[in-house]
């Protein structure tokens, strides 16, 4: 899956900017990145949302245990990969139909977070049990919300393209060619929200997240660490 967002939607993460500046490396534009995704993945679906957002996904080579899915409702768009162990109980909690899938559940959970402020975001995400990563874009408010599960079973990476788009994907090689060293693994047990102040840990909401510069030989430009957490957020 792939989501790219212009600077009109997302402020460029300073840690990724700094990582790219430390070790300049070739990059490509967001448009080239989307084209490469479509070329690489048979039957890929690409959706342009307004002027500043593009979302794409494919079932090509997906894991049966961690499938990819896409959905939209009430101008809220969601890319989801993985599965929720407690989907049944969460559907009851949010009043959803029995045939609702993870995408619809995440959209409903996001709407609860948006419309019932000050409902804590860490409560919403921490109630999700399973292996997952998702990208939600709310067109009505131009809000981005991204999250990864507590142990990082579903890979998720983020980076900055040559023309200043912030990209999220489950394919690190795809982003490596587009983002150079302005690239990192999205930290497990965390969420990123343009409406709630950027990157936060939902496992340890009071703990600060810092970016550690990567070594030259690593493909990353930085590794994010939640202070006080035992595990670094890096790729498998």
């Amino acid at each position: 899956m792939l989501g790219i967002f212009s600077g009109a939607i997302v402020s460029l993460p300073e840690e990724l900017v700094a990582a790219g500046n430390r070790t300049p490396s070739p990059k490509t534009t967001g448009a080239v990145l989307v084209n490469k995704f479509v070329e690489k993945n048979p039957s890929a679906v690409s959706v342009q949302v307004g002027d500043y957002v593009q979302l794409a996904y494919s079932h090509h080579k997906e894991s049966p245990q961690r499938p990819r899915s896409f959905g939209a409702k009430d101008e809220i768009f969601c890319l989801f990969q993985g599965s929720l162990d407690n989907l049944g109980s969460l559907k009851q909690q949010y009043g959803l139909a029995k045939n609702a899938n993870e995408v619809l559940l995440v959209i409903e959970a996001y709407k609860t977070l948006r419309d019932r402020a000050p409902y804590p975001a860490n409560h919403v995400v921490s109630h999700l049990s399973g292996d997952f990563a998702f990208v939600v874009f709310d067109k009505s408010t131009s809000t981005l919300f991204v999250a990864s599960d507590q142990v990082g079973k579903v890979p998720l990476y983020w980076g900055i393209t040559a023309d200043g788009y912030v990209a999220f994907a489950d394919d690190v090689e795809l982003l490596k060619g587009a983002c150079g060293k302005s690239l990192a693994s999205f930290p497990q047990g965390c969420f990123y929200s343009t409406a709630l102040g950027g990157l936060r840990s939902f496992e340890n909401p009071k703990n600060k997240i810092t970016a550690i510069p990567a070594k030259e030989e690593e493909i990353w430009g930085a590794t994010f660490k939640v202070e006080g957490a035992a595990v670094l957020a890096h790729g498998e």
Side-chain angles (χ1 to χ4, degrees):
M1 64 182 183
L2 172 68
I4 66 168
F5 304 85
S6 84
I9 302 295
V10 185
S11 298
L12 299 183
E14 294 179 3
E15 300 90 345
L16 297 182
V17 173
N21 291 339
R22 277 194 302 271
T23 311
S25 51
K27 295 184 176 185
T28 60
T29 65
V32 171
L33 174 59
V34 173
N35 289 338
K36 283 189 175 180
F37 179 90
V38 173
E39 292 170 2
K40 184 177 180 180
N41 295 282
S43 303
V45 175
S46 177
V47 179
Q48 181 81 34
V49 184
D51 296 327
Y52 306 115
V53 175
Q54 194 142 3
L55 306 172
Y57 81 105
S58 169
H59 295 298
H60 183 57
K61 292 185 177 180
E62 72 179 9
S63 164
Q65 289 77 36
R66 300 163 192 161
R68 305 182 193 100
S69 50
F70 170 79
K73 181 182 179 183
D74 300 332
E75 293 197 309
I76 301 171
F77 299 79
C78 178
L79 289 167
F80 185 96
Q81 182 172 349
S83 60
L84 296 177
D85 299 332
N86 60 340
L87 178 60
S89 61
L90 288 173
K91 284 191 289 188
Q92 288 184 328
Q93 177 182 331
Y94 286 101
L96 295 174
K98 291 184 178 180
N99 61 347
N101 61 8
E102 280 88 352
V103 163
L104 292 176
L105 185 281
V106 168
I107 289 175
E108 199 63 35
Y110 166 78
K111 288 174 66 178
T112 298
L113 173 63
R114 181 193 67 185
D115 300 338
R116 299 184 188 175
Y119 200 73
N122 56 292
H123 287 186
V124 173
V125 187
S126 63
H127 288 166
L128 306 178
S129 175
D131 303 340
F132 64 86
F134 63 79
V135 176
V136 170
F137 178 67
D138 183 350
K139 185 181 178 184
S140 66
T141 61
S142 295
T143 298
L144 172 66
F145 192 93
V146 181
S148 175
D149 69 55
Q150 293 91 330
V151 292
K153 285 291 185 71
V154 176
L156 184 64
Y157 311 95
W158 59 335
I160 303 172
T161 66
D163 53 346
Y165 276 73
V166 177
F168 297 85
D170 60 342
D171 183 345
V172 67
E173 291 299 323
L174 182 74
L175 287 194
K176 180 182 176 183
C179 303
K181 284 285 188 174
S182 297
L183 173 67
S185 178
F186 191 85
Q188 61 201 44
C190 292
F191 68 86
Y192 178 89
S193 169
T194 55
L196 300 171
L199 187 64
R200 305 278 182 87
S201 168
F202 64 80
E203 276 201 300
N204 303 281
K206 295 182 179 180
N207 294 23
K208 185 179 178 182
I209 302 174
T210 56
I212 302 170
K215 297 178 181 178
E216 286 290 329
E217 64 270 19
E218 293 185 275
I219 64 172
W220 325 108
T223 298
F224 288 87
K225 180 183 179 182
V226 180
E227 294 184 3
V231 182
L232 288 178
H234 56 69
E236 294 182 352

